[in-house]
């Protein structure tokens, strides 16, 4: 939808629901990745933990851009 177009309330609700679902999916993925990193840390696999946290550091800004685009 072009910025100059005005959304109906129904369109706005639909877009917000879509953004909400995207946020939930992203947070679920982050939660799983953090849990995996914690298991690595607890198991003494420090390098693997650092690698997983590095992946999150790279992925989160991109995920946030996608969410902001949906808004």
């Amino acid at each position: 939808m072009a910025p100059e177009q005005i959304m109906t309330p129904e369109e706005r609700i639909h877009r917000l629901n879509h953004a909400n679902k995207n946020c939930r999916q992203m947070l679920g993925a982050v939660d799983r990745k953090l849990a995996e990193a914690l298991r690595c840390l607890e198991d003494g696999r420090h390098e693997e933990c650092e690698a997983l946290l590095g992946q999150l550091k790279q992925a989160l800004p991109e995920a946030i851009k996608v969410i902001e685009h949906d808004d």
Side-chain angles (χ1 to χ4, degrees), residues 7-67:
M7 284 189 274
T8 66
E10 292 81 14
E11 290 170 328
R12 183 73 178 146
I13 290 169
H14 176 75
R15 287 183 66 123
L16 290 171
N17 277 329
H18 182 72
N20 181 3
K21 288 177 186 177
N22 284 345
C23 287
R24 287 177 172 273
Q25 289 175 344
M26 182 194 70
L27 290 173
V30 168
D31 186 53
R32 289 187 297 276
K33 189 68 77 171
L34 286 172
E36 185 179 352
L38 180 59
R39 282 190 298 276
C40 290
L41 185 62
E42 291 171 344
D43 293 345
R45 296 177 284 141
H46 301 138
E47 289 180 12
E48 190 174 347
C49 177
E50 287 178 8
L52 289 168
L53 293 176
Q55 291 172 11
L56 278 172
K57 285 180 186 178
Q58 288 180 337
L60 283 174
E62 291 301 316
I64 290 169
K65 286 179 188 176
V66 169
I67 291 168

Side-chain angles (χ1 to χ4, degrees), residues 1-8 11-12 15 69 71:
M1 178 171 288
E4 64 275 357
Q5 290 180 321
I6 297 175
M7 284 189 274
T8 66
E11 290 170 328
R12 183 73 178 146
R15 287 183 66 123
H69 178 71
D71 189 23

